[in-house]
Structures are given as structure tokens and as C-alpha cells.
Amino acid sequence: MKYIGIIVLIILSFTAGAFWNHYSFLNQGAFQLNSSLKLQSTENDDGLMPKGTVFYPYSYKGEIATFVVFVNTKNLNLLEPVKFENSSTVSPIDGYGE
């Protein structure tokens, strides 16, 4: 699950960059987790985003907000391309407070 979460977060990061200029994106403000956040991409796969992780706003729709997290890694062999029908598709994972 941890690796799936990292892959999804990286995809979200690059998708957001395609829509906004680097400076305008970062100037929207940021949010920091004040406690850990449980992440879930499927019913059987979950992980944990640690306290202190910085989130950047992506979109707000009703009660649901979508954020981007930037991840640095040297483990590029763990990543594989994802092909969506629409190139601007975003595939978020769900986060739950514990």
C-alpha cells in the first residue's frame, strides 16, 4: 500500500503541475497535517501519512478537498507509467482522520 500511495501522490503532483504555473501553484498557500492521516486507495490497501506532511490545495468540491503532496525518491524502479483515457485524469486516494 505504501508504494501504491507514493505512486498515486507522484502522479497527482505532476498532473497539478500541468495545469498551473509553478509560482502561482505554490503561492496558493499550504497546509500541514497536525496529526497522522490514514490513506486508502482500495478496500484492502491502506497506509499512513505522517504528522507534519505539507499539503498544497488542488481543488475544492463541496465537502471534499483535494490536495497535492510532493514526494522525493531515488527508487524510480518502483514506479510504472499509468495510462488514463484522458491525459488530465486525476486519481486521488481517500484520507481519514484517526
Side-chain angles (χ1 to χ4, degrees):
M1 172 56 203
K2 180 179 177 181
Y3 298 115
I4 292 171
I6 290 171
I7 290 169
V8 170
L9 291 174
I10 290 171
I11 291 168
L12 285 172
S13 296
F14 283 104
T15 303
F19 288 108
W20 290 291
N21 177 297
H22 175 74
Y23 297 104
S24 66
F25 178 72
L26 295 177
N27 286 331
Q28 292 180 27
F31 298 89
Q32 185 175 29
L33 282 178
N34 58 21
S35 66
S36 60
L37 182 68
K38 181 178 179 181
L39 302 176
Q40 187 170 18
S41 60
T42 66
E43 187 175 319
N44 298 323
D45 292 327
D46 62 5
L48 198 64
M49 185 70 65
K51 176 182 177 179
T53 301
V54 177
F55 286 62
Y56 298 90
Y58 180 76
S59 71
Y60 295 95
K61 293 181 182 171
E63 295 179 358
I64 297 175
T66 303
F67 294 90
V68 174
V69 175
F70 294 95
V71 178
N72 292 328
T73 183
K74 292 183 179 181
N75 301 29
L76 300 179
N77 59 323
L78 301 175
L79 306 175
E80 59 184 49
V82 176
K83 297 194 184 226
F84 292 112
E85 188 173 310
N86 182 340
S87 63
S88 63
T89 298
V90 175
S91 179
I93 56 178
D94 296 322
Y96 303 95
E98 294 192 303

